[in-house]
Amino acid sequence: MFGGVELGGTKCVCLLGTGPDDIRAQSSVATGTDPQAALGAIIDELERAAATHGRFAALGIASFGPVDLDRASPTYGWITSTPKPGWRRTAVAPRLAQAFGVPVGFDTDVNGAALAEQRWGAGRDLEDLAYVTVGTGVGVGLIANGRLVHGLQHPELGHIRIARLAGDLWPGACSFHGDCVEGLVSGPAIAARAGTPAHLIPADSPVWEPAAHALSQLLHTLVLASAPRRILLGGGVLQSRPELYQPIRRQLVKSLNGYIDHAALASGLGEYVVPPGLGALAGALGALALAEDSLKLDGR
Ligand code: ADP
Ligand code: ZN
């Protein structure tokens, strides 16, 4: 059995179990602005669950970022430069590893979600997969050649700059880049453009066309950069606005303009750009998958 924690922008989800069909305990604690308090509450929740259901062999953590994933770094397992109040330079994995004394797997929330989708969801058994979430921010988890992509840090494809829709001059809402993808299509960005809370924007509002276009540009780059075998596209915005899938697929086809000659990209992309399969629990299930994989890594 494994423990899993997803650290999210507003709440942290704790799980005990082995996968989506075997969740023994689930609870959540507020993320808040005091990381030591939140981590203490997470430890309490996992202790309580383990006391009822049994010890866990490893713990996985899927965290909002940016995070340090370099095992050779003195700040491995830390949240590093987040704008989230209070959480800058927080040693997350070290604290939880010390509390439980089990192997710990650590990655970003979106890499975790990609891993869970690959193991149990809409990307089952695909060696190359992209998971894109469009919600409060825009995040991309990437698996290439069967492995989560890590490097200098981790990919941050939500912040790439893109070709703008012709005639669209709105400056965007990202505090770092203005009109990067997140600055154009996160829920708060769309709301800022519309001047209305996202859930109140009418379906025929002019804000949706540039939003779909910006996402098609992100997917264009994804296809060319890491050649995923499928792109899972979800998050709060897509979940509540499924009518966006078709214009996104259409604009992606138009943007690629026949350059990639592959059957997967031939017929409307209905099986290539698809919703994720695990819903809101993908990140937390990803933490369970990271826990399981941490045992394999330890065994090497
Ligand atoms: P998070 O990104 O915090 O993990 P979600 O993926 O659930 O959360 O996305 C939440 C975001 O989705 C909200 O901040 C809001 O901007 C957006 N959203 C929620 N409902 C709607 C809606 N009906 N239409 C468009 N956007 C929505
Ligand atoms: Zn940005």
Side-chain angles (χ1 to χ4, degrees), residues 159 174 177 180:
H159 290 271
C174 175
H177 316 114
C180 69

Side-chain angles (χ1 to χ4, degrees), residues 5 9-10 21 25 47 49-50 55 58-59 61 74-75 82 103 127 142 173 175 201 227 233 252 256 260 282 299:
V5 182
T10 54
D21 300 328
E47 290 283 13
R55 307 301 307 173
L59 179 67
I61 305 164
T75 55
T82 179
E127 291 266 294
L142 263 189
S175 59
I201 302 171
L233 177 61
L252 174 57
L256 289 171
I260 307 286

Side-chain angles (χ1 to χ4, degrees), residues 1-289:
M1 189 158 63
F2 304 110
V5 182
E6 181 193 18
L7 282 94
T10 54
K11 66 180 196 307
C12 304
V13 178
C14 308
L15 289 186
L16 207 65
T18 59
D21 300 328
D22 177 35
I23 294 173
R24 317 270 179 95
Q26 176 180 346
S27 60
S28 64
V29 309
T31 306
T33 55
D34 180 349
Q36 296 317 321
L39 292 172
I42 288 166
I43 291 167
D44 290 347
E45 288 298 329
L46 289 171
E47 290 283 13
R48 202 185 349 258
T52 310
H53 302 279
R55 307 301 307 173
F56 47 89
L59 179 67
I61 305 164
S63 176
F64 68 84
V67 295
D68 186 346
L69 299 178
D70 178 0
R71 288 175 177 272
S73 160
T75 55
Y76 170 74
W78 292 35
I79 290 173
T80 55
S81 59
T82 179
K84 191 172 293 303
W87 282 84
R88 225 178 120 79
R89 295 183 61 78
T90 298
V92 174
R95 169 116 191 246
L96 297 181
Q98 192 188 22
F100 295 105
V102 296
V104 169
F106 181 73
D107 217 307
T108 63
D109 46 5
V110 281
N111 265 351
L115 190 63
E117 291 285 347
Q118 182 200 39
R119 198 152 304 176
W120 301 300
R124 198 150 327 169
D125 298 328
L126 295 177
E127 291 266 294
D128 306 278
L129 182 68
Y131 172 93
V132 182
T133 178
V134 185
T136 309
V138 177
V140 180
L142 263 189
I143 297 175
N145 302 325
R147 302 181 62 130
L148 290 167
V149 174
H150 294 172
L152 191 62
Q153 199 194 240
H154 43 80
E156 281 282 355
L157 281 150
H159 290 271
I160 63 170
R161 299 185 188 281
I162 54 168
R164 297 288 301 270
L165 184 63
D168 178 21
L169 300 174
W170 189 62
C174 175
S175 59
F176 290 88
H177 316 114
D179 63 352
C180 69
V181 173
E182 179 168 301
L184 291 171
V185 309
S186 71
I190 296 170
R193 186 198 282 248
T196 315
H199 66 280
L200 297 178
I201 302 171
D204 62 357
S205 161
V207 300
W208 298 115
E209 190 195 0
H213 176 265
L215 283 171
S216 76
Q217 292 299 291
L218 168 60
L219 302 194
H220 177 124
T221 294
L222 270 173
V223 169
L224 300 183
S226 76
R229 292 175 191 278
R230 190 173 296 152
I231 296 174
L232 312 184
L233 177 61
V237 172
L238 270 298
Q239 225 172 348
S240 48
R241 306 287 176 157
E243 65 273 20
L244 289 175
Y245 282 101
Q246 279 306 44
I248 291 166
R249 292 181 185 120
R250 241 189 342 261
Q251 299 206 50
L252 174 57
V253 168
K254 190 173 159 202
S255 182
L256 289 171
N257 200 25
Y259 182 66
I260 307 286
D261 183 14
H262 193 286
L265 301 178
S267 57
L269 306 185
E271 289 170 25
Y272 186 71
V273 177
V274 303
L278 300 173
L281 222 47
L285 288 167
L288 289 185

